Amino acid sequence: NSQSCPRRCGSDHGIASRNDSARVDTIFEIAKCDVCVNNRMMTLISPASPLVLFGCGNMGRAMLDGWLASGIDPQSFVVIDPHARDLPAGVARHDHVQSAQGPFTTIMLGIKPQLFENLKADIANAVASKGLVLSLLAGTRSGTLASAFPGRDIVRVDDRSVFGNRGGPGAG
């Protein structure tokens, strides 16, 4: 199941099997190329193991739209955001984490950083004990995330490091 990147990174991103630590290595490996991000996201999430977006503002929505445009099943996403409206058909939405069916294996923090302190306990309770936390929280330190999500794999990302200033997955 090996797959070479058709774009610029030239890496072999296919893996036949992986464990939890390899999952984090894979996120760092694919951060070089938006095509690789899309290809790997297709292996990390599915309707049975959805990516949960806590907050779906401008950046989160751009990422969601890009992943959907790349062919990922809309049922592979759950949005937890009381303000998210007009989501694509098939994407589940909940106003609050308590109404969602967790625990979740892979989550993405797309809330405003100033909201994190008040929401972190509820979010932490919704993440599986060996879960993966992708953080888009600007200015939030790794130590802060590690103390909020003990035992979970944490990856801090932003639009410049992951998508090379092209505006989201599938763009460019």
Side-chain angles (χ1 to χ4, degrees):
N1 284 348
S2 193
Q3 178 178 354
S4 292
C5 176
R7 298 282 288 287
R8 60 194 149 78
C9 76
S11 295
D12 177 6
H13 297 300
I15 40 178
S17 63
R18 64 178 198 277
N19 58 32
D20 288 340
S21 65
R23 179 174 53 168
V24 175
D25 294 339
T26 300
I27 294 291
F28 284 119
E29 177 183 314
I30 64 176
K32 304 174 211 165
C33 176
D34 60 326
V35 169
C36 298
V37 169
N38 289 332
N39 290 342
R40 185 53 59 221
M41 285 304 293
M42 287 186 196
T43 67
L44 288 174
I45 62 173
S46 69
S49 182
L51 170 65
V52 179
L53 289 82
F54 283 92
C56 194
N58 293 334
M59 188 182 303
R61 181 58 189 260
M63 294 172 75
L64 174 63
D65 289 344
W67 286 320
L68 293 172
S70 73
I72 299 177
D73 185 336
Q75 294 182 0
S76 297
F77 298 94
V78 174
V79 171
I80 299 177
D81 185 335
H83 305 291
R85 300 288 180 253
D86 301 321
L87 291 171
V91 175
R93 186 188 72 78
H94 298 275
D95 285 345
H96 305 284
V97 66
Q98 294 86 354
S99 64
Q101 300 248 336
F104 301 104
T105 304
T106 307
I107 71 161
M108 185 173 78
L109 299 174
I111 58 175
K112 300 220 179 288
Q114 62 269 26
L115 298 176
F116 181 65
E117 187 63 33
N118 290 331
L119 298 175
K120 68 182 179 184
D122 288 336
I123 296 171
N125 288 332
V127 183
S129 62
K130 297 290 185 182
L132 173 63
V133 177
L134 304 171
S135 174
L136 302 175
L137 302 180
T140 304
R141 298 184 179 273
S142 297
T144 301
L145 295 169
S147 66
F149 303 106
R152 278 71 163 215
D153 294 324
I154 298 169
V155 179
R156 290 179 58 218
V157 294
D158 65 42
D159 63 335
R160 292 172 306 283
S161 66
V162 176
F163 305 116
N165 284 326
R166 284 189 298 280

